[in-house]
Amino acid sequence: MRTEPEQTAPAATPAQLEERSADWPQAATRWAQITLAEDDPLHFDSEFWLKLMRDSQSNATCISAGGYIAYYPTQIQYHYRSKYLGDTDPFGTLVEGARGLDMSVMARVDPHAIHADAAAAHPEWLARDINGEPLEHWAHPGIWLTCAFTDYHREFITEVAREIVREYDVDAVFANRWEGYGGISYSEAARKSFKDETGLDLPAAEHAEGWHEYVGWRRRQLSQLVAVWDKAVRDIRPHARFIPNLGALAARDLDRDLVEKHYPIFFIDKQGRSGNEVPWAAGRNGKRNRGVFPDRPVRLITSVGPEHHQYRWKDSVAPAEETKTWIVDGFAQGALPWFTKFNASVPDHRWVPPIVEAFSLHAKVEPVLKDLRITAEVALLDPTRAGQLRTDRTADHEDGFYQALVEARVPFEFVSDQELSAERLSPFKVIVLANAEHLGDEQCAVLRQYVEGGGSLVAAYQTSLYDERGQARADFGLADVLGVHLTEASRPVKNNYIALMDDHLLNRGFPGTTRIIGGTHILGVEADPDTEVPFRFIPDFPDLPMEEVYSRHDPDRPAVICRQNANGGRVVYFPFNLGSIFWEALQSDHGLLVANAVDWALGKEPEVTVEGAGLLDLAVHRGENSVAVVIVNLTNPMAMRGPIRETLPLPPQTVSVAVPDGPVKGSLLVAGVEVEPTVANGRAEITIPTAGLLEVVHLTWEDR
């Protein structure tokens, strides 16, 4: 597969290699990525990029190397070189320059498509439709999509990775679109592998017969592929790794055992927001990954351009405040910064200052935050099987609860249902199940034990009505925990209301009314005798003609059910689509209902509170003798529909934190000032006069 050798950049010396450390993923906290276009060798300006790396205080870089197009003089047959490469080596030039800045270096490859010559020579490498026809690239005719279950990935890309780490001083190979074709590929290799392992034919479509087995098989195959690549790289450079790019769901879709061995760090390819997506979606990526692997480093890829998936203006520039907010909310929740620029030519420089500013903010707070860990009293269950077994809009339930918790200023984490165990739940006081439909018997048992031991649940809608394979149950798997039994399956309703009943903490905050809006999909449930019912459904009545819009009957069926056990465990259940309807309609009563439920379930004053006006995303970072409350200011006119034009300065905010008895010191890390907390009754209080996009309240105390 090789041609005559050509000149390449010099490999690292033995002395340099001895200095390379396997713990580079932890130290590589600010990433600069240059994604080259084919014509970049004609006008490549390495000095611009190296200066930007210095100005942004980047300590790591990812540079286009090969795969679909090689930007170095590769010697591998069918490894397509840029037709403009000539005798240049832009990849090697940037590697050498970055190493001169003492940066970690990662080589980017993309194996999802090949050129016509390779496709003609190796048709067995191609992804195929259900009729066996090869799949041409959807965006660029004349190139062909690859299948991850063929020798193209297992052998050809392995050889490419070996060549790169052998010839260049890199710490890792980073693979973009490494899964090849994203749909079901019916290549001969895929058909045979699936048949040999499961005894089945590939499913005819998503969610068709065999889909459950396909999801598991695909996860195993891809995880094993990563292991092959990683071993090939480490055989040459023991400190180096092969790291596949992951989408926003990241580690949720991979085999845990292989991830433990071969994923030292996660890179999340969620480059910005589009449409009706809120800026806290950046930080959610960090939470979601910690929900599966709490101690694994996470980096969030941010594009300097707008994220509009229909039009893909990849060679444009997003507004400065949009870019900064996405980066800052990400690193506040532990997904540290990475920027990517598509095309090394820079006709529009407006993206440079916001990248430098956001990266500099991280560099300013990093000395404190790097030694702390993110904690919370509340966790939202991440139902990783949603979307694999059923096709309704499961994400809306999560989005609604997430928005409600952000508005209520409740710091919270994620817990993956893959990691549902007593040990994993033990740090949390409240677990929120926005609509955890698919819970197996073992998972239900873990949640039951958690509540029996004094933990609290807030659950909604069809939680536990299906098992882990998507099979419907006759009653809730958690019926005894929720204190309810199913009497009527979900049905759509209009003009639905729920009435406030007996005085209860869940009813607070609704002065002047006896009812609020209910759901658009409701369940019929019967509540156990030992429960309380602070809200009941008002029976259906017409929404037209207007003369007929009035209730005919008194409130009857339970709409909110709560109970408390002898060990202090509290449970709140909503038999309607509270999360999804709040996300759709954003009626404030629904958000308040979520906030009240979590507050009542917690059963005590929160360890951290932040009082004041504005929309904030909070994270609490803790150490042995310190706590840092990270405040991201999302107060802007475009919070719910980007892109952000400006961030409105915060009015005064009062931060209160539970602390041990004794003296407490305080500082504002972004403002760079020391402050004197007011300490009384086991709490330290600081008032921030104002803040821009970010502030961090840092409290420290001596060993007690």
Side-chain angles (χ1 to χ4, degrees), residues 132-149:
E133 296 299 320
L135 293 168
E136 195 171 17
H137 200 283
W138 67 92
H140 187 58
I143 62 173
W144 301 88
L145 299 176
T146 60
C147 174
F149 312 113

PDB file of all heavy atoms in Angstrom, residues 132-149:
ATOM      1  N   GLY A 132     -28.417  -3.188  -1.022  1.00  0.00           N
ATOM      2  CA  GLY A 132     -27.035  -3.490  -1.339  1.00  0.00           C
ATOM      3  C   GLY A 132     -26.347  -2.456  -2.214  1.00  0.00           C
ATOM      4  O   GLY A 132     -25.207  -2.667  -2.633  1.00  0.00           O
ATOM      5  N   GLU A 133     -27.008  -1.324  -2.478  1.00  0.00           N
ATOM      6  CA  GLU A 133     -26.412  -0.293  -3.319  1.00  0.00           C
ATOM      7  C   GLU A 133     -25.497   0.606  -2.489  1.00  0.00           C
ATOM      8  O   GLU A 133     -25.834   0.966  -1.359  1.00  0.00           O
ATOM      9  CB  GLU A 133     -27.494   0.559  -3.974  1.00  0.00           C
ATOM     10  CG  GLU A 133     -28.379  -0.213  -4.943  1.00  0.00           C
ATOM     11  CD  GLU A 133     -27.579  -0.794  -6.098  1.00  0.00           C
ATOM     12  OE1 GLU A 133     -26.671  -0.099  -6.603  1.00  0.00           O
ATOM     13  OE2 GLU A 133     -27.862  -1.951  -6.483  1.00  0.00           O
ATOM     14  N   PRO A 134     -24.329   0.973  -3.032  1.00  0.00           N
ATOM     15  CA  PRO A 134     -23.416   1.853  -2.289  1.00  0.00           C
ATOM     16  C   PRO A 134     -24.029   3.230  -2.089  1.00  0.00           C
ATOM     17  O   PRO A 134     -24.831   3.695  -2.907  1.00  0.00           O
ATOM     18  CB  PRO A 134     -22.174   1.919  -3.174  1.00  0.00           C
ATOM     19  CG  PRO A 134     -22.658   1.586  -4.545  1.00  0.00           C
ATOM     20  CD  PRO A 134     -23.775   0.603  -4.354  1.00  0.00           C
ATOM     21  N   LEU A 135     -23.642   3.879  -1.005  1.00  0.00           N
ATOM     22  CA  LEU A 135     -24.232   5.157  -0.629  1.00  0.00           C
ATOM     23  C   LEU A 135     -23.275   6.296  -0.952  1.00  0.00           C
ATOM     24  O   LEU A 135     -22.189   6.399  -0.383  1.00  0.00           O
ATOM     25  CB  LEU A 135     -24.563   5.162   0.862  1.00  0.00           C
ATOM     26  CG  LEU A 135     -25.685   4.200   1.274  1.00  0.00           C
ATOM     27  CD1 LEU A 135     -25.742   4.045   2.783  1.00  0.00           C
ATOM     28  CD2 LEU A 135     -27.023   4.706   0.751  1.00  0.00           C
ATOM     29  N   GLU A 136     -23.714   7.144  -1.893  1.00  0.00           N
ATOM     30  CA  GLU A 136     -22.933   8.322  -2.237  1.00  0.00           C
ATOM     31  C   GLU A 136     -23.123   9.377  -1.149  1.00  0.00           C
ATOM     32  O   GLU A 136     -24.155   9.437  -0.486  1.00  0.00           O
ATOM     33  CB  GLU A 136     -23.391   8.864  -3.592  1.00  0.00           C
ATOM     34  CG  GLU A 136     -22.435   9.852  -4.229  1.00  0.00           C
ATOM     35  CD  GLU A 136     -22.842  10.180  -5.670  1.00  0.00           C
ATOM     36  OE1 GLU A 136     -24.008   9.901  -6.038  1.00  0.00           O
ATOM     37  OE2 GLU A 136     -21.999  10.687  -6.418  1.00  0.00           O
ATOM     38  N   HIS A 137     -22.107  10.229  -0.980  1.00  0.00           N
ATOM     39  CA  HIS A 137     -22.185  11.256   0.053  1.00  0.00           C
ATOM     40  C   HIS A 137     -23.370  12.179  -0.215  1.00  0.00           C
ATOM     41  O   HIS A 137     -23.590  12.595  -1.346  1.00  0.00           O
ATOM     42  CB  HIS A 137     -20.886  12.063   0.098  1.00  0.00           C
ATOM     43  CG  HIS A 137     -20.679  12.784   1.396  1.00  0.00           C
ATOM     44  ND1 HIS A 137     -21.349  13.937   1.721  1.00  0.00           N
ATOM     45  CD2 HIS A 137     -19.876  12.508   2.462  1.00  0.00           C
ATOM     46  CE1 HIS A 137     -20.963  14.346   2.926  1.00  0.00           C
ATOM     47  NE2 HIS A 137     -20.079  13.499   3.393  1.00  0.00           N
ATOM     48  N   TRP A 138     -24.120  12.500   0.838  1.00  0.00           N
ATOM     49  CA  TRP A 138     -25.332  13.307   0.687  1.00  0.00           C
ATOM     50  C   TRP A 138     -25.037  14.761   0.318  1.00  0.00           C
ATOM     51  O   TRP A 138     -25.875  15.433  -0.256  1.00  0.00           O
ATOM     52  CB  TRP A 138     -26.140  13.267   1.984  1.00  0.00           C
ATOM     53  CG  TRP A 138     -25.459  13.964   3.139  1.00  0.00           C
ATOM     54  CD1 TRP A 138     -25.612  15.269   3.516  1.00  0.00           C
ATOM     55  CD2 TRP A 138     -24.505  13.399   4.033  1.00  0.00           C
ATOM     56  NE1 TRP A 138     -24.818  15.561   4.597  1.00  0.00           N
ATOM     57  CE2 TRP A 138     -24.122  14.425   4.933  1.00  0.00           C
ATOM     58  CE3 TRP A 138     -23.922  12.132   4.179  1.00  0.00           C
ATOM     59  CZ2 TRP A 138     -23.192  14.218   5.953  1.00  0.00           C
ATOM     60  CZ3 TRP A 138     -22.997  11.933   5.191  1.00  0.00           C
ATOM     61  CH2 TRP A 138     -22.638  12.955   6.063  1.00  0.00           C
ATOM     62  N   ALA A 139     -23.817  15.254   0.644  1.00  0.00           N
ATOM     63  CA  ALA A 139     -23.537  16.678   0.443  1.00  0.00           C
ATOM     64  C   ALA A 139     -22.542  16.944  -0.674  1.00  0.00           C
ATOM     65  O   ALA A 139     -22.453  18.077  -1.149  1.00  0.00           O
ATOM     66  CB  ALA A 139     -23.011  17.294   1.746  1.00  0.00           C
ATOM     67  N   HIS A 140     -21.792  15.909  -1.086  1.00  0.00           N
ATOM     68  CA  HIS A 140     -20.745  16.144  -2.086  1.00  0.00           C
ATOM     69  C   HIS A 140     -20.695  14.946  -3.038  1.00  0.00           C
ATOM     70  O   HIS A 140     -20.064  13.934  -2.742  1.00  0.00           O
ATOM     71  CB  HIS A 140     -19.390  16.336  -1.401  1.00  0.00           C
ATOM     72  CG  HIS A 140     -18.295  16.740  -2.348  1.00  0.00           C
ATOM     73  ND1 HIS A 140     -18.359  17.868  -3.129  1.00  0.00           N
ATOM     74  CD2 HIS A 140     -17.095  16.165  -2.624  1.00  0.00           C
ATOM     75  CE1 HIS A 140     -17.258  17.974  -3.850  1.00  0.00           C
ATOM     76  NE2 HIS A 140     -16.475  16.945  -3.558  1.00  0.00           N
ATOM     77  N   PRO A 141     -21.357  15.029  -4.177  1.00  0.00           N
ATOM     78  CA  PRO A 141     -21.376  13.901  -5.119  1.00  0.00           C
ATOM     79  C   PRO A 141     -19.966  13.518  -5.562  1.00  0.00           C
ATOM     80  O   PRO A 141     -19.057  14.349  -5.640  1.00  0.00           O
ATOM     81  CB  PRO A 141     -22.187  14.444  -6.300  1.00  0.00           C
ATOM     82  CG  PRO A 141     -22.974  15.575  -5.744  1.00  0.00           C
ATOM     83  CD  PRO A 141     -22.126  16.186  -4.664  1.00  0.00           C
ATOM     84  N   GLY A 142     -19.802  12.229  -5.848  1.00  0.00           N
ATOM     85  CA  GLY A 142     -18.516  11.741  -6.337  1.00  0.00           C
ATOM     86  C   GLY A 142     -17.630  11.153  -5.272  1.00  0.00           C
ATOM     87  O   GLY A 142     -16.562  10.615  -5.577  1.00  0.00           O
ATOM     88  N   ILE A 143     -18.055  11.252  -4.004  1.00  0.00           N
ATOM     89  CA  ILE A 143     -17.347  10.554  -2.934  1.00  0.00           C
ATOM     90  C   ILE A 143     -18.353   9.628  -2.258  1.00  0.00           C
ATOM     91  O   ILE A 143     -19.573   9.778  -2.403  1.00  0.00           O
ATOM     92  CB  ILE A 143     -16.703  11.522  -1.926  1.00  0.00           C
ATOM     93  CG1 ILE A 143     -17.781  12.367  -1.220  1.00  0.00           C
ATOM     94  CG2 ILE A 143     -15.685  12.417  -2.620  1.00  0.00           C
ATOM     95  CD1 ILE A 143     -17.224  13.213  -0.103  1.00  0.00           C
ATOM     96  N   TRP A 144     -17.837   8.674  -1.490  1.00  0.00           N
ATOM     97  CA  TRP A 144     -18.686   7.568  -1.037  1.00  0.00           C
ATOM     98  C   TRP A 144     -18.549   7.357   0.463  1.00  0.00           C
ATOM     99  O   TRP A 144     -17.463   7.484   1.031  1.00  0.00           O
ATOM    100  CB  TRP A 144     -18.310   6.291  -1.805  1.00  0.00           C
ATOM    101  CG  TRP A 144     -18.485   6.499  -3.274  1.00  0.00           C
ATOM    102  CD1 TRP A 144     -17.574   7.001  -4.157  1.00  0.00           C
ATOM    103  CD2 TRP A 144     -19.688   6.293  -4.018  1.00  0.00           C
ATOM    104  NE1 TRP A 144     -18.115   7.110  -5.417  1.00  0.00           N
ATOM    105  CE2 TRP A 144     -19.417   6.678  -5.362  1.00  0.00           C
ATOM    106  CE3 TRP A 144     -20.953   5.813  -3.707  1.00  0.00           C
ATOM    107  CZ2 TRP A 144     -20.371   6.593  -6.367  1.00  0.00           C
ATOM    108  CZ3 TRP A 144     -21.908   5.719  -4.703  1.00  0.00           C
ATOM    109  CH2 TRP A 144     -21.613   6.109  -6.016  1.00  0.00           C
ATOM    110  N   LEU A 145     -19.678   7.020   1.092  1.00  0.00           N
ATOM    111  CA  LEU A 145     -19.700   6.795   2.530  1.00  0.00           C
ATOM    112  C   LEU A 145     -19.124   5.427   2.869  1.00  0.00           C
ATOM    113  O   LEU A 145     -19.337   4.448   2.143  1.00  0.00           O
ATOM    114  CB  LEU A 145     -21.126   6.898   3.058  1.00  0.00           C
ATOM    115  CG  LEU A 145     -21.810   8.254   2.855  1.00  0.00           C
ATOM    116  CD1 LEU A 145     -23.251   8.198   3.341  1.00  0.00           C
ATOM    117  CD2 LEU A 145     -21.055   9.361   3.575  1.00  0.00           C
ATOM    118  N   THR A 146     -18.418   5.373   3.997  1.00  0.00           N
ATOM    119  CA  THR A 146     -17.790   4.124   4.419  1.00  0.00           C
ATOM    120  C   THR A 146     -18.631   3.433   5.487  1.00  0.00           C
ATOM    121  O   THR A 146     -19.455   4.050   6.159  1.00  0.00           O
ATOM    122  CB  THR A 146     -16.388   4.391   4.980  1.00  0.00           C
ATOM    123  OG1 THR A 146     -16.494   5.274   6.109  1.00  0.00           O
ATOM    124  CG2 THR A 146     -15.492   5.011   3.923  1.00  0.00           C
ATOM    125  N   CYS A 147     -18.381   2.156   5.640  1.00  0.00           N
ATOM    126  CA  CYS A 147     -19.051   1.343   6.662  1.00  0.00           C
ATOM    127  C   CYS A 147     -18.044   1.010   7.756  1.00  0.00           C
ATOM    128  O   CYS A 147     -16.964   0.483   7.474  1.00  0.00           O
ATOM    129  CB  CYS A 147     -19.610   0.066   6.043  1.00  0.00           C
ATOM    130  SG  CYS A 147     -20.304  -1.093   7.262  1.00  0.00           S
ATOM    131  N   ALA A 148     -18.395   1.312   8.992  1.00  0.00           N
ATOM    132  CA  ALA A 148     -17.478   1.123  10.117  1.00  0.00           C
ATOM    133  C   ALA A 148     -17.186  -0.338  10.417  1.00  0.00           C
ATOM    134  O   ALA A 148     -16.261  -0.642  11.173  1.00  0.00           O
ATOM    135  CB  ALA A 148     -18.048   1.793  11.361  1.00  0.00           C
ATOM    136  N   PHE A 149     -17.946  -1.255   9.818  1.00  0.00           N
ATOM    137  CA  PHE A 149     -17.795  -2.666  10.157  1.00  0.00           C
ATOM    138  C   PHE A 149     -17.005  -3.429   9.094  1.00  0.00           C
ATOM    139  O   PHE A 149     -17.054  -4.659   9.030  1.00  0.00           O
ATOM    140  CB  PHE A 149     -19.179  -3.280  10.372  1.00  0.00           C
ATOM    141  CG  PHE A 149     -20.049  -2.437  11.272  1.00  0.00           C
ATOM    142  CD1 PHE A 149     -21.180  -1.806  10.787  1.00  0.00           C
ATOM    143  CD2 PHE A 149     -19.695  -2.238  12.597  1.00  0.00           C
ATOM    144  CE1 PHE A 149     -21.965  -1.002  11.603  1.00  0.00           C
ATOM    145  CE2 PHE A 149     -20.467  -1.437  13.426  1.00  0.00           C
ATOM    146  CZ  PHE A 149     -21.607  -0.810  12.928  1.00  0.00           C
TER     147      PHE A 149
END
